[in-house]
Amino acid sequence: MSHPDKLTAPGGLYRAAIRQSVVKLDPRALWRNPVMFVTAVVAAMTTVLGLRDLLGGASGAGTALHISAWLWLCVLFANFAEALAEGRGRARADTLRATKSETRVRVLPGVEADPGTGVETVSTALKPGQIVYVAAGEIIPTDGEAVRGVASVNESAITGESAPVIREAGGDRSSVTGGTTVVSDWLVIKVTAEPGKSFLDRMIALVEGAERQKTPSEIALNILLVGLTLIFLFVVVTLPAFASYSGATIPVIVLGALFVTLIPTTIGGLLSAIGIAGMDRLVKANVIAKSGRAVEAAGDVDTLLLDKTGTITFGNRMADALIPAPGVDLRRLAEAAALASLADETPEGKSIVDKAREALGSVPALPAGAEAVAFTAQTRLSGLDLPEGRRLRKGATDAVIRLTGKTPPGALAAQVEAIARSGGTPLLVAEGDQILGAVHLKDIVKPGVRERFAELRAMGIRTVMITGDNPLTAAAIAAEAGVDDFLAEATPEMKLDLIRREQAGGRLVAMCGDGSNDAPALAQADVGVAMNAGTPAAKEAANLIDLDSDPTKLIEVVMVGKQLLISRGALTTFSIANDVAKYFAILPAIFVAAYPGLGVLNIMGLASPTSAILSAVIFNALILVALVPLALRGVAYRPSSAAALLRRNLLVYGLGGLIVPFVGIKAIDMALVALNLA
Amino acid sequence: MTFLAYGLYLAALVGAAWVLALWMTRVYAGALPAGLQRLEGLVFRATGTQPDRGMTALSYGLAVLAFNLAGFLSLYAILRLQGALPLNPDGIAAMAPDLAFNTAVSFVTNTNWQAYSGEAQLSYLAQMAGLTVQNFVSAGTGMAVGVAVIRGFVSAKGTTLGNFWQDLTRSVLWILLPLSVGLGLFLAAQGVPQTLLGAVTVTGLEGQEQIIARGPAAAQIAIKQLGTNGGGFFGVNSAHPFENPTLASNMAQSLSILLIPVAFCFLFGRMAGDRRQGWAIFAAMAVLFVAGLSVIHLAEVAGNPALGQGANMEGKEQRFGAMLSALWAASTTAASNGSVNAMHDSFLPLSGLVMLINMAIGEVIFGGVGAGLYGMLLYVVLAVFLAGLMVGRTPEYLGRKIEGREVTLAVLAFLSMPLGILVGGALAATVPSALEAVQDAGPHGMSEILYAYASATGNNGSAFGGFGAGLTWHTTALGVIMLLGRYAIILPMLAIAGSMIRKTPSPVTSGTFPTHGPLFVTLLILTVLILGALTFFPVLALGPLAEETARAAGQTF
């Protein structure tokens, strides 16, 4: 799944796409793309007329057939772009389908029933509500929720991540996905998916493009393109009347060529490829969109709700400083802190050992015979009892005070308070009943996060940090990470309220979540990303699912959404700007016989009327295929303000769209003359 | 010197329009002085209007249609019955049915296309109670729709666009009437007649008898300019010494043509609560206007070498000269006014090209009162949608998303221009009974056809001359096309406004597409030129462009 492109050789992909571009000439398929349908109709018409001329021996049959060949190529190129975009998804779907094999499963009469009482049945016949027993080495038959047991599950078929994950009954890690494998232990699973509607089924349909719905801006753009086609239809259909008034006659084939070059074939031909490729980029990022609408909405997001833990900070506090009590040597404190943490395997404990190493140069090894005292919720202390009787402890301030029966000396007490005020967590270290000093534990902000938020701010996106911390801690981390706002001591209700408030102000909100209590907020948000490891409720409520369960993915989703919209806009602008040059190529060619003076419009100095018309038609087809890579890759997107983006893209695609065809048509004309083709 | 004069004209125009916009903002918000409010209340009570009942886009549109249908029927009746009605000192007979249809449609749609000659075919009653009344209310209709459309784009989320009857009454009562009274008195002082006496018969210096038409002209001329109507009292319009006697009257009328359309730009900015938005639209219109004016000026001042040295004075009044005629021609075609102080048929081909483009793009370079702004908003919707995607968001204008519905409606409205001009023109160029109307051969004749159909579609009413507009084919076809050009834009634009006002505006951030500043102005201008003007490039090539290139080679038509 992570390297699907390797599964299909690029050559095979292209061969399949070329085959598909012919298959897609089926009028029923073409009809869905009005601009290309119209182009095909004109191509068919010019072919018939060209053949008639050829058989009748009329002059100009060669040119007519030449024009119609390029018109057909234009349609084929558009089909090719779409087929290529679909092909990439299909390759991915094939690898997914391979994991979806029919297996025998054991259906239990009840959750607590003995596995031996199970009745064997086929996996494809499972219905929601049925209870299934899956043992180690077996494939989980369909989506469900673990209701009994704990097991490690290999989800690489879905996520591409080979390290197994823990799935257990109850809690936020109960969701299991069909097609994944139980590696150790066993699970009793309650089926949640209808037959054929499992996550895997949906994913296959999605990446194949079969279930692709057009997104709102794609629909609007399609309407505009149809409108422009109609306008140019008026232009071309009325032209013979005006021409005959002026004493000019325009062959129908030339009218057809003029029409096809004027209608927005470039964007019309690439529109669906852009959409498919956009979804594909998401799939590549291991995000599954449940609707195209969500991807587009991601581009519009104004407010990003980010969970502090895992997204902004590493999620575990780390030792930032060691503060000895008055009269205590720093080295003594460091040694005690290190010893008290040696047996502590948590990241917190390890970070204290690391900090002590900085102060001491090296830390003592775990002495033989030492006895670790583990952390419990009752004592809220942990530490080490050495064989010679030293008792080292570290723990929360009040717990250590209770243990030693002493309060920290004045200067230390003030510093402990300062740590708490700054949003950090103070730990006290004691030996016996003597308080040696404090450890400043701090939530460490991930490197690069600050810059990322600055970029988001430049793009006009407000970031809000969501945390369960108290307001003091939250404010300190918010300031350090550079988020615009924070929601402290957040409850699911407060999250929902915040989203509603933002939406009432006209803002679009994106968030990610995994727990069942996140479900209402995920459903309310315009873009809700659920972690794949999350509960079925969360996954159901969200419109995007991140298979990697990485909360920072939200930012990537926003970028993909923006890139999708930008690609469409850029190619539309380019396509429409192209018309200027095409007019200047074709109009003098068709009017110069009636009004020789109109030769001045031939500013490109094209060799002859025939070569001018041919060049315009050929350019029209070639530019389409030349832009296929851009359509599939998406327009380069650097986060910046809308004004800067607009300036840059208007310059590249607007001005470029005006100039490129002048150069291109002239070059083709010169080539045609050199090759004696016109 | 020349450019100083044009500069002064523009400065005076912008200054006056800016002040007028202040007043208009208050008028449409209902923030009138207490005395005027009482007066207005009396009018509403007398007409049974419930002024504060908001109307949705649909009911607003239906009210516009109903009101204009009533106006059409009453005007048609007056024109058909004028022979039997009072105030007809010259004994003018009833108008033919097809001409009466054409004229009634023309005045109700604020087009003022004149297929008739006023002094010969209209009684004083028809001029005053028929045409002048429609001059006021058709302008008022345009302004009301303009304000309703603005509300759709700028008001807080809601469902209603205001009340048509209230907006109409306020437009007429507090904007058009006071300005017209002032301008009318000024014109009368300059020598424009305002009398109910019939034509006078005098014996000229050569001893021949001459009939000199006169009548209640000053009042109608004032509103014809202010309301971008353009229908003159006399057949030759403001080239007639009684319609436009002096340089002062000429400048006053030139300014009045563009006054309210320009003020609408500033009104838009003020109602949006962001004056930069109004300036941006003004800037786009002004650049297009100045570009067109420059071409006309240069062409006319250079003159036609085939006709001798100096500026082109054919068809122009000596008292105005080439420059003031060029200014008028640019203003009247840009503003969908249609009045003339020189014969456009006699302008050089490049001037004709500019005038054709001014009309064919849909009268959005200031355009008709109210209509110019909502016409330009149509291009704004398309420009924002086309390029707006390039900032990576669903396109927004003033915080509101432009989606499928708005694009569909904009495309529908947009189609009326090629439909009217190209389809109408193509029929006129092929149907034998229509072709008789064309006076000149070759590309010039083509320009005459295009001009007539562009003028009707754009609801301008300006005539090129040399075109026999009185033929039954054209009175009928042009009448239908005037209706298309008016309502096929008003109704979709109201629907767009009605759809926009239902959306929650999103706050402006640095990720929002900026719709002010030079970049947006350039984008808007390019959209107008590429979507609007390019559509007509082929026919313009066969008309004025072919004529110009032939003229350069020494051939005239």
PDB file of all heavy atoms in Angstrom, chain A residues 297-308:
ATOM      1  N   ALA A 297     -13.409  21.103   0.902  1.00  0.00           N
ATOM      2  CA  ALA A 297     -13.636  21.917   2.092  1.00  0.00           C
ATOM      3  C   ALA A 297     -12.325  22.121   2.845  1.00  0.00           C
ATOM      4  O   ALA A 297     -12.102  23.169   3.449  1.00  0.00           O
ATOM      5  CB  ALA A 297     -14.681  21.260   2.992  1.00  0.00           C
ATOM      6  N   ALA A 298     -11.435  21.123   2.778  1.00  0.00           N
ATOM      7  CA  ALA A 298     -10.158  21.254   3.469  1.00  0.00           C
ATOM      8  C   ALA A 298      -9.390  22.456   2.946  1.00  0.00           C
ATOM      9  O   ALA A 298      -8.689  23.139   3.698  1.00  0.00           O
ATOM     10  CB  ALA A 298      -9.337  19.983   3.303  1.00  0.00           C
ATOM     11  N   GLY A 299      -9.530  22.739   1.654  1.00  0.00           N
ATOM     12  CA  GLY A 299      -8.862  23.909   1.099  1.00  0.00           C
ATOM     13  C   GLY A 299      -9.434  25.211   1.620  1.00  0.00           C
ATOM     14  O   GLY A 299      -8.770  26.233   1.627  1.00  0.00           O
ATOM     15  N   ASP A 300     -10.684  25.167   2.055  1.00  0.00           N
ATOM     16  CA  ASP A 300     -11.370  26.381   2.510  1.00  0.00           C
ATOM     17  C   ASP A 300     -11.249  26.623   4.002  1.00  0.00           C
ATOM     18  O   ASP A 300     -11.762  27.617   4.511  1.00  0.00           O
ATOM     19  CB  ASP A 300     -12.877  26.266   2.207  1.00  0.00           C
ATOM     20  CG  ASP A 300     -13.155  26.356   0.726  1.00  0.00           C
ATOM     21  OD1 ASP A 300     -12.218  26.687  -0.005  1.00  0.00           O
ATOM     22  OD2 ASP A 300     -14.297  26.109   0.330  1.00  0.00           O
ATOM     23  N   VAL A 301     -10.615  25.703   4.707  1.00  0.00           N
ATOM     24  CA  VAL A 301     -10.634  25.762   6.172  1.00  0.00           C
ATOM     25  C   VAL A 301     -10.071  27.085   6.683  1.00  0.00           C
ATOM     26  O   VAL A 301      -9.067  27.588   6.191  1.00  0.00           O
ATOM     27  CB  VAL A 301      -9.828  24.574   6.729  1.00  0.00           C
ATOM     28  CG1 VAL A 301      -9.384  24.828   8.142  1.00  0.00           C
ATOM     29  CG2 VAL A 301     -10.660  23.323   6.636  1.00  0.00           C
ATOM     30  N   ASP A 302     -10.776  27.669   7.649  1.00  0.00           N
ATOM     31  CA  ASP A 302     -10.318  28.916   8.268  1.00  0.00           C
ATOM     32  C   ASP A 302      -9.715  28.655   9.635  1.00  0.00           C
ATOM     33  O   ASP A 302      -8.854  29.388  10.090  1.00  0.00           O
ATOM     34  CB  ASP A 302     -11.487  29.884   8.459  1.00  0.00           C
ATOM     35  CG  ASP A 302     -12.144  30.248   7.155  1.00  0.00           C
ATOM     36  OD1 ASP A 302     -11.574  31.058   6.440  1.00  0.00           O
ATOM     37  OD2 ASP A 302     -13.229  29.705   6.859  1.00  0.00           O
ATOM     38  N   THR A 303     -10.245  27.654  10.321  1.00  0.00           N
ATOM     39  CA  THR A 303      -9.804  27.397  11.677  1.00  0.00           C
ATOM     40  C   THR A 303      -9.430  25.928  11.809  1.00  0.00           C
ATOM     41  O   THR A 303     -10.173  25.055  11.380  1.00  0.00           O
ATOM     42  CB  THR A 303     -10.934  27.721  12.683  1.00  0.00           C
ATOM     43  OG1 THR A 303     -11.366  29.052  12.431  1.00  0.00           O
ATOM     44  CG2 THR A 303     -10.438  27.618  14.104  1.00  0.00           C
ATOM     45  N   LEU A 304      -8.271  25.715  12.381  1.00  0.00           N
ATOM     46  CA  LEU A 304      -7.771  24.362  12.549  1.00  0.00           C
ATOM     47  C   LEU A 304      -7.734  24.064  14.040  1.00  0.00           C
ATOM     48  O   LEU A 304      -7.045  24.752  14.792  1.00  0.00           O
ATOM     49  CB  LEU A 304      -6.352  24.334  11.973  1.00  0.00           C
ATOM     50  CG  LEU A 304      -5.862  23.138  11.193  1.00  0.00           C
ATOM     51  CD1 LEU A 304      -6.863  22.724  10.152  1.00  0.00           C
ATOM     52  CD2 LEU A 304      -4.536  23.487  10.524  1.00  0.00           C
ATOM     53  N   LEU A 305      -8.488  23.068  14.482  1.00  0.00           N
ATOM     54  CA  LEU A 305      -8.420  22.670  15.891  1.00  0.00           C
ATOM     55  C   LEU A 305      -7.413  21.534  15.991  1.00  0.00           C
ATOM     56  O   LEU A 305      -7.578  20.508  15.350  1.00  0.00           O
ATOM     57  CB  LEU A 305      -9.782  22.194  16.398  1.00  0.00           C
ATOM     58  CG  LEU A 305     -10.955  23.143  16.228  1.00  0.00           C
ATOM     59  CD1 LEU A 305     -12.153  22.633  17.027  1.00  0.00           C
ATOM     60  CD2 LEU A 305     -10.598  24.540  16.681  1.00  0.00           C
ATOM     61  N   LEU A 306      -6.377  21.762  16.785  1.00  0.00           N
ATOM     62  CA  LEU A 306      -5.330  20.760  16.874  1.00  0.00           C
ATOM     63  C   LEU A 306      -5.200  20.286  18.305  1.00  0.00           C
ATOM     64  O   LEU A 306      -5.127  21.105  19.227  1.00  0.00           O
ATOM     65  CB  LEU A 306      -3.997  21.359  16.408  1.00  0.00           C
ATOM     66  CG  LEU A 306      -3.965  21.806  14.950  1.00  0.00           C
ATOM     67  CD1 LEU A 306      -2.770  22.679  14.676  1.00  0.00           C
ATOM     68  CD2 LEU A 306      -3.963  20.606  14.030  1.00  0.00           C
ATOM     69  N   ASP A 307      -5.159  18.986  18.476  1.00  0.00           N
ATOM     70  CA  ASP A 307      -4.915  18.449  19.810  1.00  0.00           C
ATOM     71  C   ASP A 307      -3.476  18.742  20.187  1.00  0.00           C
ATOM     72  O   ASP A 307      -2.573  18.587  19.372  1.00  0.00           O
ATOM     73  CB  ASP A 307      -5.139  16.932  19.812  1.00  0.00           C
ATOM     74  CG  ASP A 307      -6.599  16.611  19.999  1.00  0.00           C
ATOM     75  OD1 ASP A 307      -7.270  17.402  20.692  1.00  0.00           O
ATOM     76  OD2 ASP A 307      -7.062  15.600  19.455  1.00  0.00           O
ATOM     77  N   LYS A 308      -3.285  19.184  21.420  1.00  0.00           N
ATOM     78  CA  LYS A 308      -1.929  19.514  21.818  1.00  0.00           C
ATOM     79  C   LYS A 308      -1.053  18.274  21.742  1.00  0.00           C
ATOM     80  O   LYS A 308      -0.013  18.271  21.073  1.00  0.00           O
ATOM     81  CB  LYS A 308      -1.925  20.066  23.254  1.00  0.00           C
ATOM     82  CG  LYS A 308      -0.556  20.474  23.726  1.00  0.00           C
ATOM     83  CD  LYS A 308      -0.489  20.537  25.233  1.00  0.00           C
ATOM     84  CE  LYS A 308      -0.327  19.157  25.819  1.00  0.00           C
ATOM     85  NZ  LYS A 308      -0.141  19.168  27.264  1.00  0.00           N
TER      86      LYS A 308
END
